[in-house]
Amino acid sequence: MTRRAGSRDVPEGVLDTHAPGVEEALEQAGAPADAPLWLFGDQLGPAVHALPQHAAREVVLIESSAVLRRKRFHRQKLHLVLSGMRHLDEELGDRSTYSRTRTYREALEEVGRPVVVHQPTSHAAVAFVERLREEGLVAAVLPTTTFARPRAEFAAWAGDDSSFTMENFYRNQRRRFDVLMEGERPVGGKWNLDHDNREPPPKDAKRRGAGPSGQEARTLGVPEPWWPTEDEVDAQVRRDLDAATETGDLATVGRDGPRLFAVTAAEARAALRRFVEHRLDPFGPHEDAILSADPWMSHSLLSVPQNLGVLHPLEAVHAAEQAHRDGAARLNSVEGFVRQILGWREYIWQLYWHFGPDYVRRNEMGHRTPLPDWWSDLDGDAVTAACLSETLNGVRDRGWVHHIPRLMVLGNHALQREYGPQALSDWFATTFVDGFAWVMPPNVVGMSQHADGGKLATKPYSSGGAYINKMSDHCGDCAFDPKVRVGEKACPFSAGYWRFVHRHQDLLRANQRTARSVATMERLKDLEAVLEQEHHRETF
């Protein structure tokens, strides 16, 4: 038996029955078969509400004004979450009760009987739900069903080992879910095809329109992603957010704009189908490249629906795998996509829980510089460096840039300028439309800022302007020169890199992957001038 996922077949059980441990948790708690099901705003898909165990349940959706006001979220992020919740309420009809209250507790008290809920996706929310359970407002807390691997299974696999790598986890995931496998061997004979997926922007990138300098803009030339069509639900969300902002009840960051991401299961499958059929094949080679006029490149734009819970990761992975088996997508592109979802995304999810709630406060590098206002306010126009300016403005305008601008522009700058990792993690979580509490600590504190002492990544991810120049088209029109370290045209990334190496030379010298950088720094004849310049730098 199969289910249709767009135009690709997905095995029965991947979606609404992928729920190990749910039945046992319900039996252990003794929860009534008709106890209402409370859904958080990132649990909106059929892998939660369409489980057979929930067939008789009323669904409770709560729009809490206190949660919306708790932090300064990106305007488009709030729109996506509210649109997803309200669309699901509309889809479920009489089965759904939608409450707009100040707090979750107030809404649950109005329900009048204990609810069941799937484990939420942050340490703080888990603790809150446990308090509600002790108070009798929650009858049962059920396992998370919106990821491929149950947390209990990962914990049994990892044990007390803190040295497992993403590559080991990824290979185990491939075997566990039989993805891109031929028996015990990976399809094509290799597990990792990263070497085929690190190409810079193609020199023959398509020309389209005029860029900021008046020159023709370069794009990858692939078919556009699937775009949603806004409806009256979206219009009402926008009116409500406008009203709350105008009265001062709500403070947001970033610009409003047309909704760009899927927020329902039907939309997510349409977006998946568009990606698999038209964009997956060219995805791999240039997945790490940046083009100023083409923010989407060949990326899937599926992180939002996945993180809202409306697209199950195995649905996306199996659709991509089937495309390769059908001869519709090259192996390195499919493997790169599978690695992102079944590898990295699942790895980050599991490490969030494995590392514990104190992980976000790790600061082994000792970085404590506050985030500057132009960064917090997404004011890229206050920045001179083209890569940094355009990336910040991309976040301002869309709440999204792909993984390389996040890591090698934003994260690289923050690491060089010693921004506090916890504040930076919170900024990423609130400012990006696909940012949630579980996503950012491992990605930012561990991967990007190396603040965990090397628990996640073996080396800091910092580079000079040469990498950005190679992998993007930002540097051609920039006022700074990536080859210049001192003077008015000195690139803040190139000069900042040597400042970073000097500041952390003992750490870097002890790491075989970064020791060469220290040796190179020691041979720089202008090092003192670089350090003096960067100590006083005010223009980026």
Side-chain angles (χ1 to χ4, degrees):
M1 297 292 293
T2 59
R3 277 189 173 276
R4 299 297 292 177
S7 63
R8 306 293 175 186
D9 290 337
V10 177
E12 184 83 26
V14 163
L15 302 176
D16 53 359
T17 59
H18 186 74
V22 171
E23 192 69 43
E24 294 86 342
L26 287 168
E27 290 177 0
Q28 184 176 6
D34 62 347
L37 172 65
W38 172 27
L39 300 180
F40 281 91
D42 57 355
Q43 300 173 332
L44 304 180
V48 185
H49 63 75
L51 293 177
Q53 296 90 341
H54 299 326
R57 301 187 196 281
E58 169 192 353
V59 168
V60 175
L61 292 159
I62 304 172
E63 190 175 306
S64 162
S65 61
V67 171
L68 298 182
R69 295 196 301 264
R70 185 176 57 201
K71 295 182 178 180
R72 191 178 176 215
F73 293 102
H74 197 292
R75 166 62 186 256
Q76 292 183 47
K77 178 180 182 133
L78 292 182
H79 186 119
L80 289 165
V81 173
L82 295 183
S83 179
M85 292 176 64
R86 295 183 188 184
H87 273 101
L88 180 59
D89 175 57
E90 185 177 81
E91 176 186 331
L92 295 177
D94 293 341
R95 185 187 170 198
S96 174
T97 297
Y98 198 98
S99 297
R100 299 179 67 177
T101 56
R102 189 179 66 85
T103 67
Y104 289 138
R105 181 179 271 102
E106 290 173 2
L108 293 175
E109 289 173 346
E110 291 177 2
V111 171
R113 50 193 174 129
V115 301
V116 298
V117 62
H118 285 265
Q119 188 178 62
T121 59
S122 75
H123 294 292
V126 165
F128 172 63
V129 165
E130 182 57 27
R131 292 195 297 272
L132 296 177
R133 189 190 65 78
E134 292 173 354
E135 295 171 17
L137 292 173
V138 170
V141 182
L142 311 176
T144 307
T145 55
T146 51
F147 291 82
R149 193 158 200 158
R151 280 181 53 196
E153 184 180 315
F154 174 85
W157 175 78
D160 295 329
D161 183 11
S162 61
S163 62
F164 54 82
T165 64
M166 203 288 279
E167 186 65 26
N168 290 338
F169 173 76
Y170 171 61
R171 294 184 185 190
N172 185 270
Q173 288 278 90
R174 292 264 297 270
R175 294 188 185 98
R176 166 67 176 80
F177 295 103
D178 193 25
V179 173
L180 292 179
M181 297 295 294
E182 293 174 333
E184 291 298 312
R185 300 180 68 254
V187 172
K190 294 181 179 180
W191 292 100
N192 188 326
L193 300 178
D194 271 357
H195 62 280
D196 294 327
N197 292 346
R198 295 173 177 170
E199 296 294 322
K203 294 181 179 179
D204 61 346
K206 305 297 182 181
R207 302 285 177 173
R208 184 185 66 188
S213 66
Q215 297 179 349
E216 286 185 307
R218 299 171 64 201
T219 73
L220 201 56
V222 301
E224 286 198 352
W226 172 90
W227 302 118
T229 300
E230 290 197 3
D231 56 14
E232 178 53 32
V233 171
D234 290 296
Q236 187 59 52
V237 167
R238 184 165 285 109
R239 288 193 289 268
D240 290 343
L241 290 174
D242 283 343
T245 302
E246 289 169 4
T247 60
D249 290 335
L250 184 68
T252 62
V253 68
R255 294 178 175 174
D256 187 21
R259 179 161 66 86
L260 299 171
F261 299 89
V263 297
T264 72
E267 288 185 342
R269 289 173 180 170
L272 173 62
R273 181 171 62 248
R274 175 71 176 177
F275 171 69
V276 169
E277 293 182 353
H278 299 284
R279 296 166 56 79
L280 173 59
D281 179 62
F283 164 71
H286 305 291
E287 66 175 286
D288 286 358
I290 304 170
L291 285 171
S292 303
D294 192 356
W296 317 113
M297 305 286 282
S298 288
H299 293 275
S300 70
L301 277 63
L302 296 175
S303 58
V304 167
Q306 285 188 94
N307 291 357
L308 291 178
V310 299
L311 178 65
H312 196 278
L314 288 177
E315 184 174 4
V317 164
H318 282 297
E321 179 186 35
Q322 190 62 49
H324 174 65
R325 296 190 186 280
D326 291 345
R330 70 192 80 176
L331 180 59
N332 60 295
S333 289
V334 174
E335 192 276 324
F337 179 68
V338 169
R339 177 178 292 271
Q340 283 189 343
I341 295 177
L342 199 60
W344 188 254
R345 181 176 183 270
E346 290 271 322
Y347 187 61
I348 291 298
W349 162 253
Q350 299 292 357
L351 288 187
Y352 174 78
W353 301 103
H354 188 72
F355 287 158
D358 293 333
Y359 179 83
V360 72
R361 290 185 283 276
R362 295 288 295 268
N363 190 3
E364 300 301 313
M365 305 289 280
H367 291 177
R368 294 179 174 82
T369 302
L371 306 184
D373 289 343
W374 54 263
W375 178 283
S376 298
D377 295 339
L378 302 178
D379 186 6
D381 295 336
V383 181
T384 301
C387 60
L388 189 55
S389 174
E390 292 185 29
T391 301
L392 281 172
N393 284 342
V395 182
R396 177 198 67 194
D397 296 341
R398 301 182 296 274
W400 185 95
V401 293
H402 73 74
H403 64 284
I404 295 300
R406 298 189 200 203
L407 179 64
M408 300 309 299
V409 177
L410 298 176
N412 189 14
H413 169 83
L415 182 61
Q416 291 180 1
R417 303 301 158 179
E418 303 183 5
Y419 295 170
Q422 183 174 0
L424 186 68
S425 179
D426 190 61
W427 178 84
F428 270 97
T430 56
T431 304
F432 278 79
V433 292
D434 54 6
F436 288 86
W438 66 269
V439 177
M440 292 308 174
N443 269 306
V444 176
V445 175
M447 178 72 170
S448 172
Q449 300 304 294
H450 204 66
D452 64 356
K455 287 173 68 68
L456 191 151
T458 57
K459 73 176 185 66
Y461 275 82
S462 184
S463 74
Y467 177 86
I468 298 172
N469 190 32
K470 174 186 175 183
M471 297 303 294
S472 80
D473 61 353
H474 285 309
C475 299
D477 298 326
C478 185
F480 299 122
D481 187 331
K483 296 185 290 296
V484 176
R485 292 190 295 267
V486 179
E488 290 186 1
K489 293 185 70 63
C491 172
F493 283 91
S494 297
Y497 175 73
W498 296 116
R499 174 181 181 269
F500 169 78
V501 172
H502 183 267
R503 163 83 157 81
H504 296 288
Q505 58 184 294
D506 291 341
L507 172 71
L508 300 177
R509 186 182 289 110
N511 186 327
Q512 63 178 356
R513 297 189 65 190
T514 55
R516 181 178 295 181
S517 295
V518 178
T520 301
M521 177 201 71
E522 292 173 339
R523 294 194 297 269
L524 296 181
K525 296 180 179 180
D526 57 0
L527 179 60
E528 291 302 320
V530 170
L531 296 177
E532 178 68 16
Q533 168 188 276
E534 295 309 299
H535 179 73
H536 296 287
R537 180 182 284 276
E538 297 180 351
T539 301
F540 292 100

